[in-house]
Amino acid sequence: MATLFGSPALAGDNGDGTAGCNYGEICLNYSNPGGNWQRHFWKGGNDTGYWTDVRDSHQTSTLVHDQASSLKNRDSSCDVLEVDYNGTAIRNQQWFANGASSFVGFTSAMNDKNDAHWRCRNGGV
Ligand SMILES: [Ca+2]
Ligand SMILES: [Ca+2]
């Protein structure tokens, strides 16, 4: 997948920067089965940043970390693993198949526990 905005580590991964959950993006949602508070990523990494209300692109003051309830995986090629860590060990995890057409709800174990999202089954980013 192309990196469009330089270093995600410095700039913060915000997907394609548009309100739509578009092809190639990993889209997290505050609600289940999916509402207006979303954050989009291109790459694997920590669930950083704040929710954006996609109706008006307003950034909320609510963190994405530990507050997601569903995910739409529009990655170009990979399944996505959402994880909840206990230190460096994985406490909870859930796989999301790529090419999803709608948001898929987190399991009760993962709900509001999200720490990071990783691409592909080899642990790639
Ligand atoms: Ca987007
Ligand atoms: Ca967590």
Side-chain angles (χ1 to χ4, degrees):
M1 183 185 320
T3 299
L4 301 179
F5 301 109
S7 170
L10 294 176
D13 188 354
N14 197 26
D16 65 2
T18 70
C21 177
N22 295 314
Y23 176 73
E25 293 188 298
I26 300 162
C27 303
L28 288 175
N29 202 301
Y30 179 74
S31 303
N32 176 16
N36 293 315
W37 284 18
Q38 301 182 19
R39 184 166 173 95
H40 305 160
F41 300 95
W42 277 125
K43 302 183 71 177
N46 292 325
D47 291 350
T48 53
Y50 297 88
W51 297 109
T52 293
D53 189 326
V54 297
R55 291 171 295 189
D56 59 6
S57 295
H58 169 74
Q59 184 179 287
T60 74
S61 57
T62 303
L63 287 169
V64 172
H65 175 243
D66 278 348
Q67 298 190 76
S69 296
S70 63
L71 187 152
K72 184 196 276 188
N73 178 9
R74 298 206 64 196
D75 191 275
S76 54
S77 60
C78 284
D79 292 349
V80 164
L81 181 66
E82 186 66 39
V83 296
D84 168 40
Y85 289 115
N86 179 14
T88 57
I90 292 176
R91 176 166 44 206
N92 297 294
Q93 67 176 50
Q94 185 175 352
W95 282 103
F96 296 86
N98 79 303
S101 58
S102 58
F103 283 92
V104 175
F106 283 11
T107 62
S108 57
M110 270 306 303
N111 189 48
D112 292 342
K113 302 251 179 40
N114 58 294
D115 295 334
H117 52 281
W118 300 109
R119 301 178 63 240
C120 311
R121 296 197 175 253
N122 62 3
V125 297

